[in-house]
Amino acid sequence: MFNDLEAALKHFFGYDSFRVGQRKIIEEALNNHDLLVIMPTGGGKSLCFQLPALLKPGLTIVVSPLIALMKDQVDALQDNGIGATFLNSTLDYSQERSRKQAILAGKIKLLYVAPERLLTEKFRAFLSQINHSLGCNAIAIDEAHCVSEWGHDFRPEYRQLQRLRSQFPQTPIFAFTATATKRVQEDIIQQLGLRNPHVHLSSFNRPNLYYEVKLKEKNSYYQLLQSIRQESGSGIVYCLSRRRVEEIAFKLKHDGIDALPYHAGLEAEVRTYNQTRFLRDDVRIIVATIAFGMGINKPDVRFVFHYDLPRSLENFYQESGRAGRDGGTAKSILLFGSGDLKKVNYLIEKKPDINEQRIARQQLNQVVDYAEGTVCRRTIILRYFGEKFSGNCGKCDNCLEPKPIEDWTIEAQKFLSCMARCRERFGMNHLIDVLRGSRNKKVQQYGHHLVSTYGIGKETSVDEWKMLVRSLLHQGLISETNDGYRILRFNKRSWEIMRKEREVLVAVSNKKLSKDNNKYNPRQAEAEILYEKLKILRKQIADLQSVPPYVIFADSSLKSMSHIQPKNEAEFSKISGVNNHKLQQYGDKFLSVIQEFMRSQQLPKPLPSKSQMATLQLHQQGLNLEEIADQRGFAMSTICNHLGELLEMNQPVALNQLVKPERQKAIIEAIFKHGDQSLKILKEALGEYYSYDEIKLVRGWWRSQHNN
Ligand code: ADP
Ligand code: ZN
């Protein structure tokens, strides 16, 4: 029916090309080989069994452990016009019967089931019926690592799956997992009884992820807030404790960012509710402990923040990997503070078991290696998975802004002599106090104001000293005790430094200057406005169908629509992610929003003045109103006038950052009642809790929506 696999891919899924590895796996699946596929999250595993299912006669059975995920996958398939369904405990008797009828009538190509159901007598009888009438062309087992006790999510019912082999001796079995260890791989092959399976081990590199580590500033919440304000789309903020999750979610909400908490201490219904709101794009940010992750399959998460140190590099990889599963650009940002390090160390020391302590410490060191590393971050991550990566990825902070390496040998010698004078009995902070000539009590008490190194390090700041000491520790040039006091000690290499046999090179973390990548580009700005409009339409359609917005179209499809601005169905159907079914269902609606937008762009419009543009640029760099006013030497009200007028001219001003959505709503309601002519009337109607500035901003936006 299809000339090539690419044509089939476009027909069923609307995609133009395969992701790395997919084609080969699909070809082997079509040749009925048993398969073991190890691919990182977001690699596109599902397609590897979905496309063959559609190209072969008969039915493919998909075993999937989580009911919520099943429904998502089936929704997405159905929205592509593909016959898919699931059978699980959420269905009542009549639903189950009608689905079974549809299956036996050959209307279904993919049947999703939970493992426990698959093994009941009744269901086995149904399977036999399928096997005799339609034939079962493959069994795909998702999250196959659940079969192994060595994996992180062992499920005893997976063990029973080997019985499938005897019931369907001729049917190929495909096993899929994102877990990499050899032990688990062997277990999967053995437990599921795979026959000479072809093993596909993909690289764990996630090329669409940008990795960055930011040094935690004093007011780390504010730093987080500012960073989130600069991002768009959905994001996850990971914290270590439930308390912190609650606190950050609360503060973000207070600062006008849509955020909900998620942790194991919440009632199950609250968790499900918050998760669904996130999936459906009703809320932009989830603040979560690591309890959030397994079982969430939101492909359009655009950024993941680690507000606290992750437990291990494996955890970090899996958690940050939840960003960008749809292949679009996404970010992983780790906020790294030495205070956190202390906290984690303290927790480790509290562990009763020495062996556990050792493992935890080793895992922590790997995280610190990553965070303090000055080489390409991908190299560090992939080395952890046993992969060699040549570095220079061009998509991490270290590659984009290499830190300058400086010679700090003299400072290191000063520090070491100070350690020696204080007889290797103290930790970093005290030694820095001595070097910087502090008058604090502890220094006096030990008589350290009398040692010869007292005050010889005044010209180096506390932060710089800390950076040096961390780097010395990190490079193994000094040691520290593990007794909780972190007393610094000489080792062989420290002596080499003292004897001038070894130099000390330190990668200096430079204060990041605000990057210049926010230059105003009218064409880009136009596409962004259209993108926002298309997102609104997508959300409306999704809500009507009770599915998450990504089921309708991926972010990347909306992005291409906003750039290409298709004028007719033929052009629309060329967009990646649009197949015939989607064209029929949604083509009209999206085309008409695009047309209307293009018409509005052609109307003569006033252009922003130079001064307004200057304000806009600062706004886009993430400065708040006060900071802009400060920098420009204008009153805040003038800046608000600018932004209000810019909004009216349809310029990309982030209104949600300036006025909280619920306040916008109140103002818009007032405009509906009283018209937009008089600010004074609006102010009187709204009362003292609303400022003229807010009203001006919202009115600007309102006018942009209603004047053309
Ligand atoms: P995994 O199970 O490996 O984590 P999925 O199968 O959920 O990944 O795929 C992740 C996302 O990538 C999904 O939204 C899917 O539709 C999309 N995707 C998969 N293959 C392609 C492709 N060839 N082109 C574009 N998008 C794809
Ligand atoms: Zn890199």
Side-chain angles (χ1 to χ4, degrees), residues 91-102:
L91 304 177
D92 63 28
Y93 178 72
S94 70
Q95 283 172 315
E96 177 162 339
R97 207 181 47 182
S98 71
R99 287 188 185 197
K100 282 184 171 168
Q101 276 165 358

Side-chain angles (χ1 to χ4, degrees), residues 9 15 17-19 22 39-47 73 297 299 325-327 576:
L9 180 68
Y15 300 137
S17 56
F18 288 104
R19 296 241 183 99
Q22 282 178 332
M39 217 188 235
T41 305
K45 286 186 278 298
S46 322
L47 197 86
Q73 288 222 5
N297 186 355
R325 294 177 68 151
D326 57 8
S576 177

Side-chain angles (χ1 to χ4, degrees), residues 203-209 211 375-396 399:
S203 164
F204 274 68
N205 187 15
R206 297 280 314 275
N208 58 320
L209 282 193
Y211 293 99
V375 295
C376 172
R377 305 240 184 244
R378 278 199 158 65
T379 319
I380 306 176
I381 295 173
L382 293 174
R383 192 196 302 134
Y384 177 83
F385 287 110
E387 272 182 55
K388 276 216 173 69
F389 184 75
S390 59
N392 239 326
C393 73
K395 266 199 131 179
C396 75
C399 285

Side-chain angles (χ1 to χ4, degrees), residues 67 70 78 257 284 288 333 376 392 410 475 486 570 585:
I67 289 178
M70 241 182 244
Q78 288 178 347
I257 301 227
R284 194 159 85 87
I333 297 171
C376 172
N392 239 326
I410 305 226
Q475 299 183 54
R486 306 190 74 188
Q585 285 217 293

